[in-house]
Amino acid sequence: MQRNELIVVHGTNPAAMAKEALAAAKIEEIIPKGALIALKPNLVVSKDASSGAVTHPEIVEGIVEYLRGKGYSRFVVMEGSWVGDRTSRAFGAAGYRDLSARIGVPLVDLQSDNWKRYDAGGGLKVAVCDQAMAADFMINLPVIKGHCQTTVTCALKNLKGCMSDDEKSRFHSLGLHEPIARLNRVLKPGFILADGICGDLDFEEGGNPVQMNRMVAAIDPVLMDAYACRLMGHDIEDVPYIGLAEEYGVGSADLSAAKITEIGDSKSAPALPPRSGRVKALASRVNEKSACSACYAALIHGLARLDERGLLKRLDAVLGAKHEKRIAIGRDFKGQAYDGVGCGLCASGAATAIKGCPPDGAAVAEFLEKLATGR
Ligand code: SF4
């Protein structure tokens, strides 16, 4: 796998998807034989993965099984939850304690680890936990999700879990973006497998999961995060640490030069019913009939961006007071003429529609904004 590549695996079985991603990346050509491999999920809080906050443990299981089959035998799962929660609780709540017992891989609580400071450039020294630095090879397993301060969190920010609680707090006082970008000059995972099964729309602590049914593999964390931005309907410029990391030589945010390989059928995984208050409220504008999860997620993300821009009421005026003209989406609209708004190629028979199969969240956001403002 090259640095300009992204591998997107679609499906609903996280363990099987993880194995497919590793096989496609030919990861055994990347990890040195005999390496101590650190698996770094996101276990920011004590919740399970259906909340949209934490990494599905089945991904770790799939990775370990795949790599054992390739002759690797030294693994450890490491994480430090956010200040205010305990990693020891998070390991239990997300099913990692059971997983550890079942597959024989130790858990390391980085909140209890020692640390040292490392020069991150620009006069900043960052404190990173000893066990994170001691691993021969780290696989970063972030969740693709929103964040109330940095807008998006994925690969670059997930490394904050490899620092002490005091250092996490200091990062906030330093404005987050600059230190996050610089931390990635010190700690350099060799592979990223991002969990895009059902990340939260807005909050890193979960509660607004949106079913996306995908996983994304990358080597370059800047490229990974640029992709996550577009997927969630944001512009890359909305997340300053991505541009800063690019400026500091961590990687490239140039998606136009990326080679993106799609595996699995993005259309085979049906959209699941929305499970949170905010997603439900946004979805009241949607007329969904057999929509693929990728399409549905793009529309929900697009509506959420419009809400943040204060334009939802203007869209509602276009859709009708009671959303009589809800936005059509899904395969059952194929070939149908529809007097209203459509999202995705299947619903492009609507009077006003955005094509794409599926469109990305950012494109849907732009389309809805034009519709709402008439510009
Ligand atoms: S346009 Fe249709 S087939 Fe394509 S992703 Fe959307 S719902 Fe699925």
Side-chain angles (χ1 to χ4, degrees):
M1 186 175 192
Q2 305 297 315
R3 281 191 73 82
N4 70 334
E5 283 185 68
L6 293 166
I7 297 169
V8 183
V9 184
H10 300 274
T12 52
N13 180 334
M17 291 161 73
K19 288 181 196 172
E20 283 183 82
L22 266 51
K26 295 193 176 81
I27 197 159
E28 57 275 20
E29 293 177 5
I30 303 172
I31 307 178
K33 293 293 170 216
L36 171 62
I37 300 168
L39 302 166
K40 164 62 179 81
N42 182 326
L43 300 177
V44 62
V45 286
S46 300
K47 290 186 179 175
D48 83 14
S50 66
S51 67
V54 304
T55 307
H56 286 75
E58 297 90 342
I59 295 176
V60 168
E61 187 165 7
I63 291 173
V64 170
E65 208 173 298
Y66 179 89
L67 289 176
R68 278 183 173 153
K70 297 291 176 189
Y72 297 92
S73 59
R74 300 172 67 216
F75 302 95
V76 64
V77 174
M78 57 177 62
E79 170 63 319
S81 301
W82 73 1
V83 180
D85 210 331
R86 305 310 303 164
T87 320
S88 50
R89 284 183 54 209
F91 278 144
Y96 281 74
R97 204 169 294 294
D98 291 345
L99 176 74
S100 167
R102 196 167 68 249
I103 66 175
V105 172
L107 304 175
V108 172
D109 176 356
L110 293 175
Q111 280 179 324
S112 309
D113 198 15
N114 295 318
W115 50 266
K116 292 184 192 60
R117 287 202 180 278
Y118 299 86
D119 185 2
L124 183 70
K125 291 197 169 197
V126 296
V128 182
C129 292
D130 290 349
Q131 296 205 58
M133 293 302 282
D136 299 317
F137 191 92
M138 181 177 280
I139 300 181
N140 188 3
L141 303 170
V143 178
I144 300 174
K145 59 181 175 174
H147 189 278
C148 59
Q149 290 159 293
T150 60
T151 308
V152 164
T153 171
C154 188
L156 292 162
K157 191 175 166 299
N158 194 37
L159 298 191
K160 262 187 85 205
C162 297
M163 307 185 312
S164 68
D165 278 4
D166 284 350
E167 189 67 341
K168 287 177 200 141
S169 300
R170 190 172 78 103
F171 265 40
H172 283 265
S173 69
L174 293 172
L176 280 177
H177 293 280
E178 174 77 14
I180 287 169
R182 291 201 176 277
L183 169 64
N184 281 267
R185 297 188 67 212
V186 173
L187 195 53
K188 298 174 181 173
F191 188 73
I192 303 149
L193 187 56
D195 179 346
I197 300 288
C198 62
D200 181 274
L201 192 68
D202 300 296
F203 301 108
E204 68 169 333
E205 64 269 38
N208 299 278
V210 175
Q211 213 71 32
M212 295 185 284
N213 292 335
R214 73 182 77 193
M215 223 169 265
V216 187
I219 290 179
D220 182 340
V222 180
L223 195 66
M224 178 65 246
D225 283 16
Y227 176 88
C229 265
R230 291 291 301 179
L231 184 66
M232 295 188 65
H234 298 287
D235 290 327
I236 295 165
E237 296 71 32
D238 294 339
V239 187
Y241 67 71
I242 297 177
L244 288 169
E246 186 173 43
E247 188 184 325
Y248 301 151
V250 176
S252 166
D254 185 3
L255 284 170
S256 67
K259 181 185 164 204
I260 302 178
T261 304
E262 307 264 350
I263 297 174
D265 186 1
S266 66
K267 301 167 191 75
S268 64
L272 300 184
R275 286 180 287 176
S276 75
R278 184 170 183 218
V279 177
K280 269 188 192 146
L282 293 170
S284 67
R285 296 159 181 86
V286 178
N287 184 8
E288 186 266 328
K289 289 183 181 171
S290 306
C292 304
S293 54
C295 219
Y296 189 80
L299 179 53
I300 295 295
H301 284 305
L303 285 165
R305 302 295 79 81
L306 210 67
D307 190 15
E308 286 156 15
R309 292 168 200 166
L311 294 171
L312 212 46
K313 280 205 173 122
R314 290 175 73 178
L315 178 72
D316 287 349
V318 176
L319 298 179
K322 292 182 184 160
H323 307 150
E324 295 96 346
K325 293 185 179 177
R326 286 179 298 151
I327 302 168
I329 184 168
R331 284 167 287 185
D332 289 358
F333 285 100
K334 251 184 207 167
Q336 283 186 35
Y338 183 79
D339 178 24
V341 182
C343 180
L345 194 60
C346 291
S348 59
T352 311
I354 176 170
K355 292 185 181 170
C357 182
D360 73 20
V364 174
E366 281 158 28
F367 165 74
L368 294 176
E369 183 165 343
K370 274 189 197 149
L371 197 66
T373 60
R375 279 185 234 124

